[in-house]
């Protein structure tokens, strides 16, 4: 099974084991399997391996081209690290999950090294070893000195001299100027090392999950994980080979003792688990019959997946796509086999779904006898069972309401996401696109001489004469249907969100773009908005504003995503609210930042013309005028109250503000529901 092993060391010119000089070329040759020559003494190094390692060199964009030549790379390192005891490389030894294929292991190793090391500025020399099929692992040697932007070697550390209160140098005991060594990178920090350890576990688990492997690893110790077992130590290829040849290895002997101890702990834990199960009988737990358990095990084994409502839904969608992709293929033996497989899997999924659904019904009838189960959707039943088990208590009425609303909103989002690639662009162009489609439809109908109300015979004749045009017409009709459906879904989704946050607003009077901007504004400030509060609302500090302005101007989209994960850099309306916040903070911004702010265009990251909005463009022009006015009249301490405030005032105008809490209390007292599942507790006393 997959194990967690992630060890690291600093490689120095002097060997810790022997005290003798060591060449970086020897280290690189041992790990890569290449023959390498050290240019200092012309000594060559080659270590024959039964299975050749898989090797790669990864480097940052500003590194010189010669770093991709392994011999040149480590000879250059050898030249720059001149001290007799210099550290020339950092190395990590990392175990790869045996459940992954060779290709998946390689992709995992390279992706991790790129994100963890190369993106920080290091060159990574990666070598995957598979000498022992039970112990696939990779070594990565990393440069310890950064590169300058021009491709030359940078410095690892610099001196910062210590001064007294009068600005004079502080001297040490020997009368020399006292200084502090300051590293130019954070690569030596313990917290960064711990970050790498955690990142490896997360990246490995991500690959295991993506390949439908139901296991995981953790960077935490057994003690931190609450596991009583003792951890084994990394044995390594040499130790296993010694054992195979009849010699005793201290590492393997230690692991044998640990495994013996762990077996005893495992037996004790089995007894504890059995006792816990007996004590748990009267608490909330899923209860399948022995036959149901066996059926689910058999289904999971046949489908090669963990069986749950989510996995069943996902697999059903995959089978539907598979069926559609082969339905028009020529009839042959392979197609028949594939169709048989689809039918078989669909039958198994239906059977599993019936078992899970039946268990959910029994659970709710047993624990919530007064609830009308027929009024609950399947998703609501699942959510109720899960929440009850997780909380280990019965749910209250308002919690049931929350489950219903959450399920309904989630289903809306799923439908929207299945239809749309870019919700921001959609909001702006849906009506224009619908007009274009309608125009196209009318032109095709004229060309093939049919009308929307033509009878079936006319349509058949047109299809025979104009097959391409009729096919295009069908596509236009389907796209039109999808757009109308998506538009309805978007309106419904926004109406739900706005009604929850701003119940006094009449959503029927708002355009789709106005709804979108109001929702984005709430997402931006992470709270409900009032007209009076806008001048004081601030999402980002002055320091963050300056940093973001510079990153936006430099088109550093990836850096923004890393430093500010919630910043919606692709959303023009989000950028509009950001610029407006900076506008209200002009007094704290430097002259240079104010100049740069004016060049920030909220639509600067728009990927298509569909992202462009006249409304956002007009607001941007108004904000730029405000910036110019401040620059010309800064002596008057003129500070803008913002531009979005006027737009939002138009939405809130003549409406009294009601808090979300008040709305929820009113909703509860009136027993109103925005979704279809109504009157859930129709009989019996209230819970």
């Amino acid at each position: 099974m997959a194990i967690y092993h992630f060890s690291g060391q600093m490689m120095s010119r002097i060997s810790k084991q022997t005290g003798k000089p060591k060449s970086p070329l020897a280290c690189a040759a041992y790990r890569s399997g290449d023959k390498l020559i050290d240019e200092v003494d012309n000594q060559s190094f080659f270590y024959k391996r039964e299975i050749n390692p898989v090797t790669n060199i990864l480097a940052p964009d500003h590194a010189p081209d010669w770093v991709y030549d392994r011999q040149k790379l480590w000879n250059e390192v050898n030249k720059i690290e001149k001290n007799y005891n210099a550290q020339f490389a950092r190395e990590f030894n990392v175990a790869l999950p045996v459940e992954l294929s060779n290709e998946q292991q390689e992709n995992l190793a390279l992706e991790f090294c790129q994100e963890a090391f190369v993106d920080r500025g290091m060159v990574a020399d990666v070598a995957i070893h598979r000498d022992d099929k039970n112990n696939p692992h990779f070594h990565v040697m990393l440069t310890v000195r950064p590169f300058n932007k021009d491709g030359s070697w940078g410095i690892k550390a610099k001196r910062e001299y210590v001064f007294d209160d009068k600005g004079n140098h502080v001297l040490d005991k020997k009368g020399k100027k006292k200084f502090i060594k300051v590293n130019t990178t954070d690569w030596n920090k313990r917290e960064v090392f711990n970050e790498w350890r955690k990142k490896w576990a997360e990246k490995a688990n991500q690959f295991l999950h993506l390949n439908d492997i139901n296991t995981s690893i953790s960077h935490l110790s057994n003690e931190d994980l609450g596991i009583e077992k003792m951890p084994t130590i990394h044995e390594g290829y040499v130790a296993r080979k010694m054992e195979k040849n009849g010699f005793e290895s201290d590492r393997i002997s230690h692991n044998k003792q640990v495994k013996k101890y762990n077996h005893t702990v495992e037996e004790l834990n089995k007894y504890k688990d059995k006792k816990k199960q007996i004590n748990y009988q009267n608490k909330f737990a899923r209860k399948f019959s022995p036959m149901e358990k066996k059926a689910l095990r058999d289904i999971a084994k046949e489908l090669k997946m963990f069986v749950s409502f989510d996995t069943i839904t996902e697999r059903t969608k995959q089978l539907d796509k598979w069926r559609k992709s082969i339905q028009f293929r020529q009839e042959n033996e392979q197609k028949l086999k594939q169709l048989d497989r689809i039918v078989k899997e669909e039958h198994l999924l239906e059977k599993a779904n019936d078992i899970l659904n039946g268990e959910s019904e029994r659970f709710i009838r047993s624990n919530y006898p007064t609830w009308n189960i027929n009024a609950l959707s399947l998703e609501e039943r699942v959510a109720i069972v899960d929440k009850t088990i997780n909380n280990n208590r019965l749910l209250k009425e308002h919690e049931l309401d929350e489950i219903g609303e959450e399920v309904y909103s989630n289903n809306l989002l799923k439908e929207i996401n299945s239809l749309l690639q870019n919700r921001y662009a959609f909001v702006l162009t849906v009506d224009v696109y619908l007009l274009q489609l309608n125009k196209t439809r009318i032109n095709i109908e004229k060309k093939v001489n049919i009308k929307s109300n033509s009878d079936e015979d006319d349509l058949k004749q047109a299809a025979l004469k104009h097959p391409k045009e009729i096919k295009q017409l069908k596509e236009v009709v389907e796209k039109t249907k999808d757009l109308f459906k998506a538009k309805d879904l978007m309106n419904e989704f926004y109406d739900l969100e706005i009604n929850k946050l701003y119940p006094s607003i009449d959503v029927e009077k708002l355009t789709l773009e106005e709804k979108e901007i109001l929702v984005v504004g709430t997402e931006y400030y992470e709270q409900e908005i009032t007209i009076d509060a806008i001048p004081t609302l601030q999402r980002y500090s002055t320091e963050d504003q300056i940093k973001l302005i510079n990153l936006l101007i430099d088109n550093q989209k990836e850096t923004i995503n890393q430093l500010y994960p919630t910043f919606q850099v692709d959303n023009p309306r989000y950028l509009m609210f950001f610029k407006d916040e900076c506008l209200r903070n002009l007094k704290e911004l430097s002259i240079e930042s104010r100049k740069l702010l004016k060049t920030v265009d909220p639509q600067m990251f728009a990927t298509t013309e569909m992202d462009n909005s006249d409304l956002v463009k007009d607001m941007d022009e108004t904000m730029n005028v405000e910036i110019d006015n401040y620059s010309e009249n800064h002596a008057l301490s003129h500070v803008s109250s913002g531009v979005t405030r006027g737009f939002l005032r138009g939405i809130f105008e003549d409406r009294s503000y009601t808090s979300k809490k008040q709305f929820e209390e009113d909703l509860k007292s009136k027993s109103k529901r925005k979704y279809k599942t109504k009157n859930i507790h129709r009989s019996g006393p209230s819970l």
Side-chain angles (χ1 to χ4, degrees), residues 52 107 128 182 188 195 211 261 311 313 363 482 499 627 651:
N52 289 332
N107 290 336
I128 299 175
V182 179
N188 289 327
E195 180 186 323
N211 291 285
Y261 168 81
T311 57
T313 302
F363 183 96
D482 285 345
N499 278 329
I627 294 171
I651 294 178

Side-chain angles (χ1 to χ4, degrees), residues 569-596:
V569 71
D570 289 324
N571 185 344
R573 297 155 191 80
Y574 194 94
L575 287 173
M576 178 185 73
F577 277 101
F578 169 73
K579 186 169 182 177
D580 195 56
E581 181 186 313
C582 295
L583 178 66
R584 290 185 274 106
N585 193 39
L586 284 178
K587 192 174 181 180
E588 303 299 324
L589 298 181
S590 64
I591 296 174
E592 182 62 27
S593 294
R594 292 199 293 270
K595 289 180 181 177
L596 292 176

Side-chain angles (χ1 to χ4, degrees), residues 368 371 384 387-388 391 393-397 399 403:
Y368 301 96
W371 287 4
I384 289 168
K387 194 166 185 178
T388 303
N391 293 347
R393 63 171 175 79
L394 292 174
L395 303 179
K396 298 177 182 179
E397 288 184 26
E399 291 176 304
I403 286 175

Side-chain angles (χ1 to χ4, degrees), residues 99-332:
E99 291 84 353
L100 298 177
S101 67
N102 287 0
E103 183 182 0
Q104 290 164 351
Q105 289 175 353
E106 183 176 350
N107 290 336
L108 168 59
L110 295 181
E111 194 170 311
F112 169 75
C113 290
Q114 177 69 41
E115 294 177 8
F117 308 128
V118 180
D119 288 350
R120 284 181 178 266
M122 296 173 240
V123 176
D125 188 354
V126 186
I128 299 175
H129 290 183
R130 296 195 176 94
D131 305 80
D132 181 352
K133 65 179 182 180
N134 297 315
N135 180 32
H137 62 278
F138 71 90
H139 297 264
V140 54
M141 286 177 63
L142 304 160
T143 51
V144 293
R145 184 183 294 268
F147 283 102
N148 296 319
K149 291 297 181 182
D150 62 359
S152 61
W153 285 114
I155 57 173
K156 292 189 285 187
K158 60 182 180 180
R159 293 182 177 185
E160 281 193 3
Y161 288 96
V162 180
F163 297 92
D164 59 21
D165 295 339
K166 297 180 180 180
N168 299 319
H169 282 281
V170 175
L171 304 180
D172 60 17
K173 294 179 180 179
K174 296 181 179 180
K176 294 183 178 180
K177 295 177 182 178
K178 193 174 182 180
F179 64 87
I180 300 171
K181 180 184 175 183
V182 179
N183 292 324
T184 56
T185 68
D186 59 359
W187 305 343
N188 289 327
K189 290 184 177 179
R190 178 177 292 274
E191 53 266 32
V192 174
F193 174 72
N194 291 332
E195 180 186 323
W196 287 332
R197 284 178 50 81
K198 181 182 178 184
K199 187 176 184 65
W200 169 248
E202 292 172 346
K203 181 61 68 174
N205 290 335
Q206 178 187 340
F207 268 69
L208 290 166
H209 175 71
L210 288 174
N211 291 285
D212 298 323
I213 298 169
N214 188 28
T215 189
S216 62
I217 60 175
S218 175
H219 66 293
L220 299 174
S221 66
N222 284 356
E223 183 179 353
D224 291 334
L225 292 169
I227 298 174
E228 297 177 35
K229 292 181 180 181
M230 291 175 60
T232 55
I233 61 174
H234 181 64
E235 293 175 354
Y237 174 67
V238 176
R240 294 187 188 211
K241 196 166 185 179
M242 285 175 60
E243 193 80 7
K244 185 178 179 181
N245 294 333
F247 297 98
E248 186 175 344
S249 164
D250 291 340
R251 287 178 169 269
I252 292 180
S253 297
H254 171 82
N255 279 349
K256 284 180 179 178
Q257 293 298 320
V258 170
K259 288 173 183 176
K260 186 176 179 180
Y261 168 81
N262 287 343
H263 178 71
T264 305
V265 172
E266 193 174 339
E267 292 299 315
L268 285 171
N269 285 337
K270 284 180 182 178
Y271 168 76
K272 290 178 183 177
D273 289 340
K274 190 172 182 179
K275 186 177 179 181
K276 191 183 292 183
Q277 287 175 5
I278 295 171
N279 294 334
Y280 199 72
Q281 291 301 314
N282 295 324
K283 294 187 178 180
F284 302 106
R286 286 191 165 84
K287 296 177 182 178
F288 295 99
S289 69
M291 289 185 64
E292 287 175 332
K293 288 180 181 177
K294 184 180 183 305
L296 287 175
R297 280 198 301 269
D298 292 342
I299 292 169
K301 187 176 180 181
E302 181 68 29
L303 296 175
K304 297 179 181 178
M305 71 178 199
F306 175 73
V307 176
S308 68
F309 281 108
D310 289 339
T311 57
I312 289 173
T313 302
E314 184 62 29
R315 186 56 180 161
T316 302
K317 291 179 182 177
Q318 292 172 354
L319 291 176
D320 185 52
K321 289 181 181 178
W322 188 12
R323 185 190 293 277
K324 288 178 179 177
S325 69
I326 65 172
Q327 64 181 341
F328 296 112
R329 291 181 189 171
Q330 186 178 357
E331 297 292 337
N332 55 37

Side-chain angles (χ1 to χ4, degrees), residues 474-538:
K474 288 180 180 179
E475 291 174 353
V476 168
V477 171
E478 287 301 316
K479 285 180 181 177
T480 303
K481 287 180 181 178
D482 285 345
L483 277 175
F484 272 118
K485 181 181 178 182
K487 185 178 179 181
D488 289 342
L489 288 172
M490 287 290 287
N491 268 309
E492 190 173 0
F493 172 71
Y494 283 137
D495 290 353
L496 278 172
E497 293 299 305
I498 293 171
N499 278 329
K500 282 193 294 184
L501 295 166
Y502 310 102
S504 62
I505 290 179
D506 184 0
V507 292
E508 299 296 328
K509 294 182 179 180
L510 301 181
T511 66
L512 193 55
E513 185 173 12
E514 286 175 332
K515 294 175 185 178
E516 162 73 13
I517 291 178
L518 182 56
V519 170
V520 171
T522 309
E523 289 174 353
Y524 180 86
Y525 289 113
E526 296 183 326
Q527 66 181 78
E528 299 138 33
I529 301 171
T530 66
I531 292 297
D532 294 334
I534 289 176
T536 61
L537 290 176
Q538 185 166 337

Side-chain angles (χ1 to χ4, degrees), residues 20-64:
K20 296 179 180 179
K22 182 170 58 176
S23 169
L25 278 299
C27 300
Y30 176 77
R31 285 153 182 79
S32 67
D34 290 350
K35 181 179 180 180
L36 302 177
I37 299 173
D38 190 330
E39 295 175 358
V40 173
D41 53 12
N42 207 33
Q43 186 177 358
S44 66
F45 300 95
F46 176 67
Y47 302 89
K48 184 175 176 58
R49 289 186 171 274
E50 296 176 12
I51 299 175
N52 289 332
V54 177
T55 61
N56 284 276
I57 293 179
L58 308 175
D61 294 337
H62 60 281

